[in-house]
């Protein structure tokens, strides 16, 4: 399934497209991105990065069609986990290669995942993530709210963030911004 977001500034399709991808077929490319971003750039240990949850996750990737449409430039995953006693969708391992940061690739990736979450949301499902402190503003602009105290994960300060159910449902209502 392909997702692209309408660019409201000039009403043309963004050059970034996000995909729900199959882990067995895409694991090498996704792993390469995560290795570059988390292990090499941020100093996360291999043991912490490769937590054994990828096989049971939904994975998303983003490409830049202006450059090389066969090259993945970012990725993320969603895992079904319990959060405060209810089923939740945990967004994690959001990584965009350095040359594409701040250019909309991460935003495109998140919009695709939030749309996907909205299609699966019900009144008992929460969408949450553990954001690095430096990325809080990015996630807040998407509707996430901080809950709980700051904590250290893989040596990096984080905060848990939750997307309100009304925001998730708005994603489903605004599906005309995304195409499949």
């Amino acid at each position: 399934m392909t997702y692209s977001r309408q660019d409201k500034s000039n009403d043309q399709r963004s050059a970034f497209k996000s995909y729900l991808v199959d882990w067995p077929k895409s694991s090498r490319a996704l792993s390469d991105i995560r290795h570059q971003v988390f292990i090499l750039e941020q100093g996360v240990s291999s043991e912490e990065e490769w937590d054994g949850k990828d096989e049971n996750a939904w994975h998303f990737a983003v490409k830049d069609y202006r450059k090389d449409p066969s090259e993945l430039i970012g990725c993320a995953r969603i895992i079904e986990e319990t959060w405060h006693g209810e089923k939740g969708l945990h967004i994690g391992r959001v990584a965009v290669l350095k040359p594409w940061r701040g250019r909309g690739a991460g935003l495109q990736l998140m919009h695709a995942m939030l749309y996907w979450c909205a299609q699966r949301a019900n009144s008992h499902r929460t969408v949450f993530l553990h954001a690095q402190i430096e990325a809080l503003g990015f996630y807040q602009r998407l509707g996430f709210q901080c809950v709980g105290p700051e904590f250290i994960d893989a040596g990096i300060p984080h905060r848990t963030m939750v997307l309100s159910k009304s925001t998730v449902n708005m994603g489903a209502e605004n599906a005309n911004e995304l195409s499949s």
Side-chain angles (χ1 to χ4, degrees):
M1 185 172 291
T2 304
Y3 302 91
S4 62
R5 182 164 171 75
Q6 194 75 11
D7 182 344
K8 294 183 188 232
S9 63
N10 62 9
D11 204 34
Q12 295 177 350
R13 288 284 176 190
S14 169
F16 299 116
K17 296 207 186 312
S18 295
Y19 300 84
L20 179 63
V21 296
D22 182 56
W23 175 254
K25 291 179 183 173
S26 303
S27 62
R28 184 176 183 137
L30 301 176
S31 295
D32 287 349
I33 293 168
R34 288 169 46 187
H35 179 81
Q36 178 65 39
V37 172
F38 297 123
I39 296 172
L40 297 180
E41 290 179 26
Q42 297 181 358
V44 173
S45 73
S46 292
E47 294 77 21
E48 289 176 297
E49 178 57 29
W50 310 117
D51 59 6
K53 297 181 181 180
D54 288 310
E55 292 77 18
N56 295 315
W58 293 278
H59 292 269
F60 288 79
V62 63
K63 296 179 180 183
D64 181 350
Y65 277 79
R66 292 172 297 196
K67 301 290 182 186
D68 180 354
S70 66
E71 179 186 5
L72 301 182
I73 61 168
C75 62
R77 73 180 186 191
I78 299 173
I79 300 171
E80 190 168 69
E81 289 185 344
T82 301
W83 191 78
H84 287 274
E86 66 178 43
K87 276 185 173 181
L89 295 173
H90 179 183
I91 295 174
R93 302 303 199 266
V94 179
V96 174
L97 294 173
K98 194 176 259 185
W100 286 271
R101 290 184 203 149
R103 296 171 61 195
L107 186 63
Q108 165 59 33
L109 183 61
M110 286 300 299
H111 277 286
M113 290 190 303
L114 294 177
Y115 174 74
W116 185 91
C117 289
Q119 299 305 304
R120 284 140 191 87
N122 59 45
S123 60
H124 303 293
R125 189 159 293 197
T126 300
V127 177
F128 68 100
L129 52 82
H130 303 302
Q132 294 181 11
I133 295 301
E134 67 182 37
L136 291 179
F138 173 75
Y139 294 113
Q140 287 169 330
R141 286 188 296 276
L142 289 164
F144 285 88
Q145 298 176 339
C146 291
V147 295
E150 184 176 310
F151 62 94
I152 302 296
D153 184 19
I156 302 168
H158 284 71
R159 292 279 309 269
T160 298
M161 300 187 83
V162 176
L163 192 64
S164 73
K165 289 182 177 95
S166 62
T167 304
V168 173
N169 291 335
M170 262 186 0
E173 292 169 10
N174 293 327
N176 62 340
E177 293 183 15
L178 296 169
S179 62
S180 57

